[in-house]
Amino acid sequence: MAYQSQIQSTTAADNLVFAYESLKNADIQSADSYLENALKADFEHPEVLLAMKCMEFWKDQLSRMPETKNLLDRGDFLCASWKKFMLFLSRIGDTSETVRYAYKRFVFGLALDQYLALPDEEKDALGAALDLRLGRARKATGDIETALIHLERAMQAQRNDAEVLAELADAYAMAGEARLSKALFREAFFLDPLAVGIEYLESEFILKIIENIQELGYSGNDIAEWIPVYAEIWGVFNVKRELSAAEYNRISASARQLEIELRESPQRRSSLVPGLLNRYFWMADHLKANGDEAGLRSVLLKIKILDQSIYASYIG
């Protein structure tokens, strides 16, 4: 088994390094053994204790894996388990980027193995759906160049898929293409915020937005809904494109529909307001670009009536 020839008396820190390397190589047995050695060396080491809590979580998850023959289900199970893992980390209130990264490499590396082992005919049938999965897994394991190939191919097949656009935007951010990344993120979070798997995102500016929104008291689905709103007023989604007249009309009609829903179902206000604000922002940009001052004043008034604090930040 990998690394088992290492001397047992090594320090906790040394054993942690060996454990993380084993995880990156999808060797969970060796990783578990090294963590046990690390605990023996220092049973109060905080990172060792966190890594062992995470190990127990993943050992339990792996015991629930679909049968070996169901490769696609196995890969999807692992990716879905990552969302549970992120929730697990938030609940125990213990974080370490080193620990998180090591387990991320393990989980998505293992998921990638499942997807790559699919029969060719199944890969062909899945098409863009498989490219999305492969792109996400490649991104998580650090292979950004290959991730971009898969995600760009997926986008060509599904241009209006918010999940695909967000993953591609994330990969572009990690490749240093900030402007393109911001433009794609803006599109993705406009199309369908709840379709975006924010637990899979890794670009620094998106993670910072998420952190700041959480500090404002939002949680669950509300985080994704408010990302495009706060990204706009904080000046992050500052790469914009011009709308066609037809696009503007569709957005305006969608905003009117949300206004009606808000009047008829005020109890749904918390879920309707961010989407409505986001549409107003797109409308305001279009009206401003086209010199329609009367239309712009009307939209700004709508924003002010809907949320005065957002309005103040938006015009400030």
Side-chain angles (χ1 to χ4, degrees), residues 73-89:
D73 290 345
R74 287 168 68 84
D76 289 352
F77 174 85
L78 288 163
C79 293
S81 294
W82 180 256
K83 291 187 177 185
K84 295 179 181 178
F85 180 60
M86 295 295 284
L87 183 60
F88 166 78
L89 288 179

Side-chain angles (χ1 to χ4, degrees), residues 127-129 131-132 147-169 172 180 184 187:
D131 274 316
L132 170 61
L148 283 170
I149 293 171
H150 286 296
L151 294 170
E152 285 171 349
R153 195 158 56 206
M155 187 193 70
Q156 292 302 315
Q158 298 175 247
R159 289 185 175 273
N160 291 320
D161 188 304
E163 186 178 19
V164 171
L165 288 176
E167 287 292 342
L168 181 57
Y172 273 127
L180 184 52
L184 288 170
E187 295 282 343

